[in-house]
Amino acid sequence: MPEPGDSRRRVTVAHPALPVITPASGEEPPGLYLHIPFCKRRCAYCAFNSHACLVPPAAYLTALASQIRYWGAQDWCRERTFTSLFIGGGTPTIYPGNELAGLVSLCLNSFHFSDDPEITVEANPNTVSLEALSILRRGGVNRLSLGVQSFSDRLLGALGRTHSRTEACTAIDAARKAGFANINLDLMYGLPGQSAPEWRESLDQAIAHEPEHLACYELTIEEGTPFARQVDKGELALPGEEEALAMAELTHAFLAQSGLQRYEISNYARSGQECRHNLNYWRNGSYLGLGAGAVSCLSGFRFGTVQHPDAFVGMVAGGKLPLAEGECLPLEARFRESVVMGLRMLEGVSFTRLQRRFGLTPPGYYGKILEDLQVQGLVVISQDTLRLTETGLLLANQVLAKLV
Ligand code: SF4
């Protein structure tokens, strides 16, 4: 049976901003996300919901804990088994290890989790110590995602990062000593003044640390950032399109030889160590996001949380749900989203799964649009699956724009 669309959804208002959310058929287990919106300093390219501070406010964790308790007691959550917890930011490790471990413990006690949940904490290299990492590991955190971005001090400086190459290496070594057997390193290419050999050098150094997972993103210039202003004034020299494409191709070729399988446009992992939490996003599963600016999608009902941490803290302290806007997504919109996000994964999207969830399949829904993409060699249909080809992956933005 397909999931109910808007017209058939039973929407009974349980809270002024929150309908009763009916279960959907064919739904995968959800993930839980906590947002920590603080960093020591803002990077020059950052468009995330993050605020600079040296000492993060204790009141924020109090409000977050209150939200964890509230949501853990809601029917939608009580009826489900969560398989992943991801604490992201910002820089979660700007808080001491014992406070983050306390949040993890509260989540494990407030929600029902599977026997072996994936529990990730994001960290920046100069905000972790062996002691803090050991506390997190003992507290059940089993995956560490380190924002390394580059192994070049010159490029780290250009990005406005607060850490050095040496601090990144020290943090990785400390994570291993603390017992982390699943480490992701975030890296960026297409940086101001970066050449392909320099990018290869960063990849080389990353691989030397034998990470289980690598996320390699091309720098994008986001509106309102210092980098965007510098671009407008002609003060930022970025690699050209061809050079950036060469770096992308180099990434795939280089990592293919290193035992890290590409499983999403920008993500590579050793077999079995793909990020479970993110796979759930790309499969358009349900997730609950708590904290300032976090977004949730529960059985097709999507809603945000107020952006500013002060507003979040104030509303929670005043006994209000700190929710921003919410919408029930129509069935077709959810189908298209599932196709577009699913095609980011190399496994592509399964017709059987889409048929079960939405009563629709890509060939029947997109018709000629999909046929044209096939003729152009950008997508391939094999048996039950639609996926991007090698060329399609390189031109993913253009291909996916046709299916949105
Ligand atoms: S560390 Fe990440 S979230 Fe924080 S300012 Fe830099 S890019 Fe933004």
Side-chain angles (χ1 to χ4, degrees), residues 10-21 67 70-71 74-77 288 296-298 301-304 321-328:
R10 179 169 59 92
V11 181
T12 311
V13 176
H15 178 278
L18 198 67
V20 167
I21 302 152
Q67 285 293 286
Y70 172 84
W71 281 98
Q74 299 307 300
D75 285 348
W76 192 93
C77 298
L288 175 67
S296 301
C297 188
L298 311 185
F301 179 65
R302 179 169 303 158
F303 56 95
L321 269 184
L323 300 184
E325 73 293 344
E327 58 172 343
C328 268

Side-chain angles (χ1 to χ4, degrees), residues 68-282:
I68 293 168
R69 285 191 205 95
Y70 172 84
W71 281 98
Q74 299 307 300
D75 285 348
W76 192 93
C77 298
R78 278 159 30 98
E79 289 160 7
R80 280 164 177 77
T81 299
F82 288 70
T83 52
S84 63
L85 166 62
F86 195 109
I87 306 184
T91 306
T93 43
I94 197 166
Y95 282 104
N98 58 345
E99 295 188 12
L100 289 177
L103 279 186
V104 171
S105 161
L106 182 60
C107 288
L108 294 176
N109 288 325
S110 305
F111 293 82
H112 183 245
F113 276 90
S114 55
D115 287 346
D116 182 24
E118 177 189 88
I119 304 180
T120 304
V121 168
E122 279 186 341
N124 277 319
N126 58 342
T127 58
V128 291
S129 62
L130 175 57
E131 191 195 348
L133 290 169
S134 302
I135 291 170
L136 290 178
R137 188 67 198 93
R138 283 199 298 276
V141 179
N142 50 27
R143 187 170 182 274
L144 188 74
S145 180
L146 273 171
V148 171
Q149 314 309 352
S150 173
F151 283 94
S152 152
D153 281 332
R154 179 178 65 78
L155 292 174
L156 287 170
L159 290 171
R161 302 285 301 179
T162 54
H163 69 266
S164 65
R165 174 195 168 282
T166 306
E167 283 171 318
C169 296
T170 306
I172 300 168
D173 291 346
R176 289 295 186 212
K177 277 195 195 114
F180 280 95
N182 192 353
I183 297 178
N184 167 62
L185 306 181
D186 280 346
L187 295 177
M188 290 169 75
Y189 65 91
L191 308 182
Q194 186 185 38
S195 64
E198 264 180 313
W199 170 231
R200 191 195 151 110
E201 172 69 18
S202 263
L203 286 174
D204 247 333
Q205 296 200 31
I207 291 301
H209 288 282
E210 301 183 353
E212 284 70 31
H213 193 285
L214 271 188
C216 301
Y217 292 100
E218 182 178 354
L219 171 70
T220 49
I221 302 298
E222 304 283 352
E223 244 177 79
T225 60
F227 267 9
R229 289 190 282 281
Q230 282 176 265
V231 167
D232 287 346
K233 289 188 204 155
E235 291 172 359
L236 199 66
L238 293 168
E241 223 171 274
E242 272 183 29
E243 220 172 339
L245 199 62
M247 289 189 214
E249 284 175 319
L250 183 151
T251 312
H252 319 318
F254 182 78
L255 295 181
Q257 300 160 7
S258 67
L260 288 165
Q261 296 295 322
R262 188 184 193 192
Y263 70 102
E264 192 266 352
I265 291 175
S266 308
N267 285 272
Y268 302 78
R270 298 204 187 284
S271 176
Q273 286 175 299
E274 299 82 6
C275 177
R276 220 186 288 170
H277 188 81
N278 286 341
L279 280 172
N280 180 51
Y281 286 135
W282 297 318

